[in-house]
Amino acid sequence: MSSSTSARPFRVAIIGSGPAGVYAADILTKSQEVAGGDVEVSIDLFESYPAPYGLIRYGVAPDHPRIKGIVNALHKVLDRGDIRFLGNVTFGRDLSLSDIRSFYDAVIFATGAIKDANLDIPGVELDGSYGGADFVSWYDGHPDVSREWPLEAQEIAVIGNGNVALDVARMLSKHADDLLVTEIPDNVYAGLKKSPVTDVHVFGRRGPAQVKFTPLELRELSHSNDVDIVLYPEDFEFDAASDEAIRTNNQVKTMVNTLTNWLVEQPEHHSDSPHGTSSRRLHLHFLHTPVEITGDDGKVTGMRFERNELDGTGNVRGTGEFVDYPVQAVYRSIGYFGSELPELEFDAKRGVVPNVAGRVLDADGNPVPGIYATGWIKRGPVGLIGHTKGDALETIGCLLEDRLSLPAAERPDEDEVIKLLESRGVDYTTWEGWLKLDEHEKSLGTAWTAEHDGGPVRERVKVVPREGMVEVSRG
């Protein structure tokens, strides 16, 4: 390490406290160089929201069975005390890149992706056409979105065959009372309770063997009370590539078997009538490419698709046959897309910060000393949460490899960034503040349970307003 940093800890800022950011911090502290005592590090983890965990708190359905396990793992890392959490601090507004570079020897961007990928078809602008990511933000109590959501449709189309599409469809079709055991905010419960929905249709372009969701998310659909799953025999097509995937990939085999069993076991009338034994239905359609969202007087009235067929390679080609479905709302869940970061280059086609192995590049394609990326903003919004560990390992490896040649921070004292935030009137939150908010949300759940004697037990109720979160955290 250079003489300018050898007498003090190596200062690292990480922007984003979702899994990608926390994993990066954890891997850095456990690296051979740090654990062996060759390098001492001081890590600050910045978050634009007052609470930690990023998309785990604001991007995963509240009834997801693995949430608690992931949150517990992240909590253990941040609760050790060797990583400082600074919430309610927005990069580009509260702190500029030059600010951060003056306080830290290196910065890692782990800002994820929160916007919807574009679906470029006619009618996408109609009233009743929504981004799936926006809906997720609403039902997860994101502090910066409206408290209201227009749940007025009886028939709904969800476009996409990934886990987010299934989350959106499940939340739309599930009865609100069955979500009270989760941490959903009161305004979300009230909105879903009034929903008149009867039918939610999920559409994917390819066949059952090519879906992008995972077996756990698929099986969750069958756990919804008073919701029938409806499948269609004409959508079950398998080509040579499908057969090979089923034979060689256990996950594909499991999902195809699950779907096929549901198809065989469903009552006969499901195939030629939308009415099952339950008050709501969740339809799974395959081999459908969205062509147009149709409307009347500016409002969604239907959805048009072209039927596809598999081409032998697992991909599809259009058949020239078009089908229309009457729906009053469309949710586009074809993927997330990264957001541009101030003062950094941005790949507008891929939605990522240009980088090589996590080293962020400038406009000429050269690495910018001391600036790194990890997670979805590094590689795009693909893969499961576990994949971010591999990302972080690669990025941290590059950072440690570069550390001797990086420009040293001008003001590396840990108090310097705090002084600047306070001078700018930023109401930053801390890990201790999160623990207060965590306990407060649990107390809201306890109070609700006591008030509704005989009702479901609520472990917690999520606080939505940013100012409320800050007030509890800093109180």
Side-chain angles (χ1 to χ4, degrees):
M1 187 175 295
S2 66
S3 59
S4 58
T5 61
S6 58
R8 62 168 175 81
F10 184 66
R11 293 278 283 146
V12 178
I14 299 177
I15 313 300
S17 70
V22 176
Y23 290 154
D26 189 41
I27 289 170
L28 178 56
T29 61
K30 293 177 179 176
S31 65
Q32 182 177 345
E33 292 86 341
V34 175
D38 295 334
V39 179
E40 183 183 359
V41 295
S42 170
I43 303 171
D44 285 345
L45 188 66
F46 290 93
E47 174 58 60
S48 61
Y49 308 131
Y53 308 141
L55 278 182
I56 294 300
R57 183 172 168 94
Y58 294 119
V60 180
D63 62 342
H64 198 296
R66 287 187 294 179
I67 283 182
K68 288 183 181 179
I70 298 169
V71 167
N72 288 341
L74 300 182
H75 178 99
K76 287 179 180 178
V77 173
L78 296 181
D79 202 44
R80 294 195 312 243
D82 56 347
I83 300 163
R84 184 166 66 172
F85 172 76
L86 294 170
N88 204 39
V89 179
T90 299
F91 171 71
R93 184 191 68 192
D94 300 320
L95 288 177
S96 67
L97 184 58
S98 60
D99 291 331
I100 292 173
R101 301 201 73 178
S102 69
F103 299 132
Y104 301 92
D105 303 302
V107 55
I108 302 172
F109 287 92
T111 51
I114 60 172
K115 295 195 304 184
D116 283 288
N118 289 330
L119 178 64
D120 188 17
I121 60 173
V124 74
E125 77 291 343
L126 289 170
D127 182 14
S129 170
Y130 307 113
D134 293 335
F135 182 58
V136 171
S137 292
W138 175 75
Y139 68 59
D140 272 334
H142 191 294
D144 301 329
V145 303
S146 171
R147 306 288 186 270
E148 306 298 323
W149 189 271
L151 291 162
E152 301 163 352
Q154 284 190 298
E155 300 159 300
I156 299 171
V158 178
I159 312 303
N161 255 184
N163 286 337
V164 175
L166 285 194
D167 279 353
V168 167
R170 195 177 65 255
M171 290 294 292
L172 286 166
S173 60
K174 205 165 189 175
H175 290 277
D177 286 348
D178 294 329
L179 291 164
L180 283 173
V181 294
T182 75
E183 60 183 29
I184 63 167
D186 289 336
N187 67 294
V188 175
Y189 169 72
L192 292 171
K193 182 72 172 175
K194 297 176 184 176
S195 173
V197 66
T198 59
D199 293 84
V200 177
H201 299 262
V202 182
F203 295 94
R205 287 192 317 110
R206 298 197 289 173
Q210 287 81 39
V211 294
K212 295 298 184 181
F213 38 75
T214 52
L216 178 63
E217 277 73 17
L218 180 62
R219 285 194 294 267
E220 282 178 37
L221 296 183
S222 64
H223 299 158
S224 294
N225 176 52
D226 191 35
V227 180
D228 283 337
I229 298 174
V230 184
L231 297 132
Y232 299 85
E234 62 269 26
D235 290 345
F236 281 72
E237 181 180 313
F238 302 94
D239 60 1
S242 302
D243 293 337
E244 177 68 10
I246 294 168
R247 187 180 65 81
T248 60
N249 187 308
N250 284 333
Q251 178 166 300
V252 173
K253 180 180 179 180
T254 298
M255 287 191 292
V256 169
N257 285 344
T258 299
L259 289 166
T260 304
N261 287 338
W262 287 351
L263 175 66
V264 172
E265 294 169 0
Q266 71 182 3
E268 281 293 322
H269 57 254
H270 274 177
S271 62
D272 49 37
S273 171
H275 301 295
T277 59
S278 301
S279 67
R280 294 180 176 179
R281 290 155 295 280
L282 200 162
H283 308 253
L284 299 180
H285 303 269
F286 307 106
L287 300 172
H288 283 68
T289 290
V291 173
E292 181 183 3
I293 302 173
T294 56
D296 188 24
D297 290 333
K299 295 182 179 295
V300 171
T301 58
M303 187 85 199
R304 177 167 296 162
F305 297 86
E306 181 177 12
R307 291 282 305 178
N308 297 325
E309 61 184 8
L310 295 171
D311 66 1
T313 69
N315 292 311
V316 296
R317 54 181 171 241
T319 64
E321 176 191 353
F322 295 88
V323 289
D324 293 277
Y325 294 85
V327 295
Q328 299 82 51
V330 174
Y331 288 76
R332 309 179 304 275
S333 295
I334 58 172
Y336 283 96
F337 199 77
S339 300
E340 189 170 356
L341 292 167
E343 302 180 76
L344 297 182
E345 292 298 312
F346 187 69
D347 184 336
K349 289 185 177 179
R350 296 180 56 220
V352 299
V353 171
N355 70 92
V356 173
R359 294 183 175 99
V360 171
L361 306 178
D362 62 18
D364 296 322
N366 300 312
V368 182
I371 301 184
Y372 302 86
T374 191
W376 280 3
I377 199 63
K378 169 188 175 184
R379 62 182 167 85
V382 293
L384 302 175
I385 290 171
H387 291 106
T388 58
K389 288 185 178 180
D391 268 345
L393 192 63
E394 179 183 60
T395 296
I396 294 302
C398 291
L399 184 153
L400 290 170
E401 183 180 316
D402 300 342
R403 74 184 190 280
L404 297 179
S405 61
L406 298 180
E410 298 172 3
R411 295 184 287 168
D413 190 276
E414 290 183 357
D415 291 336
E416 288 295 314
V417 67
I418 299 298
K419 291 177 183 177
L420 181 64
L421 291 173
E422 291 178 345
S423 72
R424 292 177 176 174
V426 178
D427 290 329
Y428 65 89
T429 60
T430 63
W431 180 247
E432 292 72 22
W434 160 247
L435 295 179
K436 291 180 184 178
L437 180 58
D438 188 34
E439 287 303 316
H440 177 71
E441 291 185 342
K442 291 176 182 176
S443 73
L444 293 177
T446 300
W448 191 98
T449 302
E451 184 179 345
H452 298 79
D453 188 29
V457 175
R458 302 198 70 183
E459 290 188 15
R460 67 190 301 133
V461 178
K462 189 180 288 184
V463 174
V464 179
R466 181 181 287 265
E467 59 273 17
M469 297 169 67
V470 171
E471 182 180 358
V472 173
S473 299
R474 292 175 62 91

